Amino acid sequence: MNELWKSAKAQGRLATIAATALLGLAAVSPAAAQDYPSESLDMTVAFAPGGGNDVMSRGIAEILQKYDLYPENIEINNRVGGSGAVGWGYLYTQTGSAYDISTTSGSLFTTPLQADTPWTVDDFTPIALLAADDLALTVLGSSRWNTVEEFIAEAKEKPPVIAGTGTVNVDFIVIALFAEKAGFEFEYVPFNSYPDSQTALLSGAVDALLGNPGEIIGMVDSKDMRALAYSGPVVPPEMEGVPTMADLGFDPGISMPRGLIMAPDAPQEAVDWWIKTMQFIVTTPEWKEYISTNLLTEYTLFGDDFATFLEKKNVSFAETLRSRGFVK
Amino acid sequence: MEIFSDLMMGMSVALHPANLLYLLVGAFVGMTIGVIPGFGPAAGIALLLPVTFGMDPVGAVMMLSAIYYGAMYGGSITAILINTPGDAGSVASTLDGFPLAQQGRAGPALVMQAVASFTGGTVGVILITLLAPLFSQVARNFGPPEYFLLAIMGMLTLIVMIGGNWRLGVISALIGFALGTVGVDLESGRSRYTFGSAELIGGINFIPVAIGLFGLGELFFAFYSGSHKKRDGEMLTYDGKSNFWPNARDFIETRFTLVRGSIIGFVVGVIPGAGAAIAALIAYSVERSVSPRPENFGKGEMAGLVAPEAANNAASSGAMIPLLTLGIPGSASTAILLAAFLMWGLRPGPLLMEQNPEFAWGLIASMYLGNMALLLISIFAIPVFVLILKVPYRILAPLVVVVCTLGTFSVNSSYMEMYIMLGAGVIGFFMRLYGFSPAAVVLALVLGPLAEESLRQTLTISRGSFGIFITRPASLSIIVVTIALLVLLPLIQLYGQRVRKPKAS
């Protein structure tokens, strides 16, 4: 495995050389002939190291450094607490800064609904939506449901028990909208984290769970669990053969948005620089590798398009939760 | 025999010079962060995780795991010397560890602590090596109903924690349960008792509470009782070399304690979600129940230190089983390790060991080496740590306050947690003054939310029926074991007293 790792690294280096050469030809290193950036960058990660937001931030920072896109120092700060309230609260206090950025997740919408945060999604400056972390409805490998049709048919007779992470969260919203469209009722059991849901499923306590492809794939490969349906638009190659909820005609139309935001009222020059830079980053082989190892769905929107997207999502998150009485 | 060839292969990976270096770095860092109150293994792993981005995963996992179990060695040093648990797993070690130090036996207590940690850790790895597949099957059967019963079993240890005055003990436990209700209610998604504070959404972390109640509370009490004016201003008596090594009696009396503590710790550790803190508390309670001198517990009984120390280390080994075989983390620290697996591009799950044998067996082999290294580091470091006791109290006390504050703050950079710790310090002083039980508060704070969440999950699943606790075989077995312990332990104690009485007369 050592050897494998090294050769993977060597390939990465070759790719870098090739890509740098290409970049030289194009001669539009986004930073060329501009004043921005001239200070060190402060990347706020609102969650703990090792989580989805952290891995993405470090991935972006690595690409920025590899291609010399950002000439100054890049600092990554995990500002953890209160489901993102602490980190994004910090970003909010940096209003007007050109050097404070952060990443988004479902909590960006849900935390302000739960707590008295001074900010909401609309306050931040949107840069780009980069990927979506979608969810799979998953059952035990030994269960009697081989297809999602069988699952739905039985669910209409007897409501199944479905586990997910948290209540005011993407997991709940996805399954609630899916079930509504498919026409079945269910009991939702919230857990603190994905591993807790998985423990409950393995012990036979719940009928199904919701998990990201990256989380379930180990158990799916070993045939301990079976993915029945996927909430994203395109199924990752590792999960080929699993239908999407949209294929079935029950598209929940919601996913965990992984994107980039800046402090409120960031200067236009900085916003333009970041949009251009991110447009380049998503074309690099390193980025493609990040998407495929984490089994994410590539999904890009920039600037104003991303702003419209955030607005729409915010409304639908709030409406789904409000109509079920989970938030005021 | 396949196990041995796997283990040998793992050993050859672990003995690779670069990996060995990472292992030693991890062990050293782990022990150091364990010593700093508030700065537990989870925070330590999180701190070094970014460094491993792009590193060879085998070396990286050896380093991070060594931080994890290394912290269990360091965490008890401050528990013994200044009554401040360095991390969650060593809360139980303050109960008899600090009284031992007060009697001038800090040296033997620290050495026995290191020996117990080594035994627990090594027994744990041996059990992983031999029985990983079996225990992973056991862990598979645990769902919400079983967690609830486990929390109830843990609460039975409250009976031991409460001590002499049961009224004050019950009030202490209720304070802990009340604190446990703060934060977002998992089931309804609504905030409880957060008073609009975003920082309280996640609830009250029990580490700042434990540091405040035990460490600062003890400090304030020492001022109150004027001990800073006595004995040349030194905190505790300690007469250097003649009193460093434990005597033969310490070893002989605790030889079965070591085994019991290790096995209890390992089994509890395998169950995802229980963790080292609960393992240590259960081991302490069992030890007190089978001891011929239960009345000495809490007053400086060596077995009362050895049992939780062996247990918390064995538990940290045990937690590796669900992590490696099912991709399920058993504690906050292993949750970060799991995140690291994903970051390194590995796929946690039943196929992890099969698909990445060098990774899995390299890690297991490194745990043998890591525990040996930690025992050696401990033995060499103890004389240095014991010097703390020579520092005049007027200098040591402010330092302890500063270290506790910095340690708590540095974990999440949270002012709220710092205030919680300071507030808990004041409450801890009054609890000490009036005979309440800080240990009961901490235990209730840990178990309360676990019991509440798992009970509500269970009842959602069963649609309100309690029958689920009897129809699920795993639940039924836990009920049977709990009842057996409730009946057997007092009987053993009674028998022990009867056997001894004729000898005494």
Side-chain angles (χ1 to χ4, degrees):
Chain A
M1 192 161 152
N2 264 331
E3 270 22 78
L4 264 176
W5 191 259
K6 274 179 204 142
S7 74
K9 265 191 177 167
Q11 271 173 14
R13 237 173 263 136
L14 270 179
T16 315
I17 295 165
T20 324
L22 273 177
L23 196 68
L25 279 178
V28 276
S29 166
Q34 278 184 26
D35 296 340
Y36 187 86
S38 59
E39 286 174 34
S40 72
L41 179 70
D42 185 341
M43 269 184 141
T44 295
V45 180
F47 297 90
N53 285 272
D54 185 65
V55 174
M56 183 167 103
S57 304
R58 289 180 201 283
I60 292 175
E62 214 182 38
I63 299 174
L64 284 171
Q65 280 165 340
K66 213 170 198 172
Y67 291 91
D68 282 330
L69 297 172
Y70 201 90
E72 304 293 325
N73 190 27
I74 301 174
E75 273 176 48
I76 298 178
N77 289 303
N78 296 85
R79 299 185 167 100
V80 188
S83 303
V86 172
W88 292 315
Y90 173 83
L91 188 67
Y92 181 69
T93 63
Q94 302 301 305
T95 300
S97 161
Y99 297 98
D100 278 276
I101 65 170
S102 183
T103 51
T104 68
S105 81
S107 304
L108 187 64
F109 306 99
T110 51
T111 302
L113 295 172
Q114 282 180 293
D116 196 10
T117 56
W119 51 268
T120 65
V121 183
D122 310 334
D123 289 318
F124 300 107
T125 312
I127 300 297
L129 176 66
L130 301 166
D133 223 347
D134 292 298
L135 294 160
L137 179 68
T138 311
V139 295
L140 272 185
S142 58
S143 75
R144 56 190 179 278
W145 304 292
N146 289 307
T147 65
V148 69
E149 285 82 8
E150 289 171 26
F151 184 83
I152 294 173
E154 202 183 313
K156 285 179 177 169
E157 304 297 315
K158 181 175 173 271
V161 179
I162 301 177
T165 305
T167 299
V168 184
N169 200 359
V170 188
D171 294 33
F172 173 72
I173 298 172
V174 163
I175 192 65
L177 293 175
F178 174 73
E180 203 170 84
K181 291 183 177 169
F184 69 88
E185 308 261 308
F186 65 99
E187 292 284 350
Y188 181 77
V189 191
F191 288 85
N192 276 315
S193 64
Y194 169 77
D196 292 349
S197 310
Q198 187 186 302
T199 315
L201 182 73
L202 288 181
S203 79
V206 298
D207 298 317
L209 63 74
L210 291 155
N212 296 127
E215 293 168 331
I216 62 165
I217 196 72
M219 280 283 169
V220 170
D221 282 350
S222 68
K223 307 249 186 288
D224 283 274
M225 296 191 337
R226 185 184 305 127
L228 294 183
Y230 184 62
S231 73
V234 186
V235 179
E238 285 82 354
M239 285 173 46
E240 221 188 303
V242 176
T244 67
M245 292 181 180
D247 291 343
L248 301 163
F250 314 129
D251 187 4
I254 273 197
S255 58
M256 166 93 85
R258 297 223 174 270
L260 212 60
I261 50 172
M262 293 186 78
D265 303 322
Q268 194 56 44
E269 187 196 13
V271 174
D272 292 342
W273 187 91
W274 274 104
I275 292 178
K276 253 167 127 186
T277 307
M278 290 317 296
Q279 279 168 341
F280 168 72
I281 282 184
V282 296
T283 62
T284 59
E286 288 81 5
W287 180 259
K288 305 280 178 210
E289 199 190 311
Y290 159 76
I291 295 282
S292 69
T293 30
N294 289 283
L295 305 187
L296 301 175
T297 313
E298 203 164 0
Y299 188 15
T300 50
L301 288 174
F302 296 95
D304 290 341
D305 295 337
F306 182 38
T308 326
F309 168 90
L310 286 177
E311 223 166 276
K312 269 202 231 154
K313 285 283 142 145
N314 198 18
V315 173
S316 63
F317 267 62
E319 271 173 5
T320 314
L321 291 168
R322 242 173 236 136
S323 68
R324 284 162 182 81
F326 282 115
V327 293
K328 276 176 273 173
Chain B
M1 282 304 106
E2 200 192 327
I3 289 169
F4 292 101
S5 63
D6 284 339
L7 190 61
M8 282 303 121
M9 182 271 290
M11 214 39 110
S12 70
V13 175
L15 285 171
H16 189 275
N19 290 341
L20 209 54
L21 185 70
Y22 287 134
L23 177 66
L24 289 176
V25 169
F28 198 76
V29 170
M31 193 158 150
T32 314
I33 58 152
V35 174
I36 303 169
F39 217 68
I45 297 171
L47 195 75
L48 279 202
L49 180 60
V51 180
T52 66
F53 199 85
M55 229 170 98
D56 170 18
V58 181
V61 77
M62 285 181 188
M63 182 169 83
L64 295 188
S65 309
I67 295 177
Y68 172 48
Y69 53 79
M72 299 289 160
Y73 283 77
S76 333
I77 293 175
T78 45
I80 293 167
L81 293 179
I82 52 173
N83 199 33
T84 306
D87 57 55
S90 35
V91 169
S93 309
T94 59
L95 300 174
D96 278 281
F98 185 61
L100 276 167
Q102 281 178 315
Q103 293 160 14
R105 302 202 69 215
L110 287 170
V111 175
M112 285 309 287
Q113 175 272 124
V115 170
S117 294
F118 172 76
T119 313
T122 306
V123 168
V125 198
I126 293 172
L127 290 175
I128 293 183
T129 313
L130 299 177
L131 301 172
L134 181 75
F135 275 102
S136 99
Q137 289 306 318
V138 174
R140 259 176 206 244
N141 291 311
F142 275 74
E146 289 74 27
Y147 283 122
F148 174 69
L149 294 172
L150 198 72
I152 295 298
M153 201 166 147
M155 281 179 201
L156 292 177
T157 63
L158 274 171
I159 299 170
V160 176
M161 294 297 142
I162 277 172
N165 189 327
W166 70 269
R167 273 193 199 86
L168 296 181
V170 168
I171 292 171
S172 310
L174 289 177
I175 293 173
F177 287 130
L179 290 177
T181 60
V182 175
V184 166
D185 168 34
L186 183 63
E187 195 93 355
S188 70
R190 296 230 169 90
S191 298
R192 293 192 301 203
Y193 311 114
T194 57
F195 305 103
S197 157
E199 283 193 70
L200 284 178
I201 293 182
I204 293 180
N205 187 343
F206 79 100
I207 295 180
V209 174
I211 293 172
L213 286 182
F214 287 94
L216 293 189
E218 180 63 36
L219 210 64
F220 297 151
F221 187 78
F223 281 127
Y224 177 78
S225 58
S227 62
H228 57 297
K229 293 181 204 153
K230 285 181 244 159
R231 295 188 309 246
D232 313 326
E234 276 171 25
M235 190 175 175
L236 306 165
T237 51
Y238 180 68
D239 62 354
K241 287 184 183 102
S242 67
N243 209 354
F244 179 71
W245 293 104
N247 53 34
R249 214 184 111 206
D250 291 328
F251 281 106
I252 293 165
E253 282 188 354
T254 59
R255 63 193 193 280
F256 295 121
T257 308
L258 280 170
V259 178
R260 275 192 295 266
S262 301
I263 291 172
I264 292 172
F266 183 81
V267 172
V268 177
V270 168
I271 299 160
I278 298 180
L281 288 165
I282 291 181
Y284 181 85
S285 306
V286 168
E287 202 51 41
R288 196 186 123 130
S289 307
V290 300
S291 165
R293 292 184 304 273
E295 67 283 355
N296 276 0
F297 275 66
K299 294 175 191 155
E301 177 74 28
M302 192 57 88
L305 173 67
V306 165
E309 275 310 303
N312 67 24
N313 279 68
S316 67
S317 305
M320 289 288 173
I321 286 188
L323 182 70
L324 289 174
T325 59
L326 300 173
I328 293 172
S331 63
S333 318
T334 40
I336 302 176
L337 278 181
L338 180 77
F341 287 10
L342 293 168
M343 199 174 97
W344 299 326
L346 295 165
R347 281 184 190 168
L351 301 181
L352 179 81
M353 291 183 81
E354 219 173 283
Q355 289 172 346
N356 308 282
E358 285 194 21
F359 176 83
W361 285 102
L363 169 62
I364 293 170
S366 81
M367 290 172 72
Y368 286 96
L369 302 174
N371 275 299
M372 282 182 233
L374 280 160
L375 180 64
L376 284 179
I377 297 175
S378 300
I379 301 287
F380 282 112
I382 286 167
V384 182
F385 282 114
V386 172
L387 287 181
I388 290 174
L389 300 178
K390 289 273 165 205
V391 178
Y393 205 64
R394 65 193 151 82
I395 295 172
L396 185 68
L399 272 179
V400 170
V401 177
V402 170
V403 169
C404 287
T405 312
L406 277 182
T408 306
F409 181 73
S410 56
V411 176
N412 291 329
S413 316
S414 161
Y415 287 101
M416 182 63 83
E417 293 201 335
M418 216 166 74
Y419 297 142
I420 289 174
M421 186 209 65
L422 295 172
V426 176
I427 296 169
F429 163 71
F430 286 105
M431 294 190 107
R432 179 80 211 264
L433 192 61
Y434 294 111
F436 288 87
S437 162
V441 177
V442 174
L443 190 63
L445 176 57
V446 174
L447 294 176
L450 179 66
E452 189 207 333
E453 280 169 12
S454 53
L455 179 63
R456 290 171 72 184
Q457 284 162 347
T458 304
L459 293 180
T460 310
I461 291 165
S462 71
R463 295 179 174 84
S465 155
F466 282 89
I468 189 168
F469 290 114
I470 299 177
T471 48
R472 283 171 64 91
S475 290
L476 193 62
S477 333
I478 300 178
I479 294 179
V480 171
V481 170
T482 309
I483 293 173
L485 280 178
L486 272 181
V487 177
L488 279 179
L489 289 180
L491 283 181
I492 293 175
Q493 218 168 332
L494 211 66
Y495 174 76
Q497 278 161 2
R498 242 188 237 153
V499 171
R500 253 186 339 278
K501 256 178 202 154
K503 274 186 197 161
S505 58

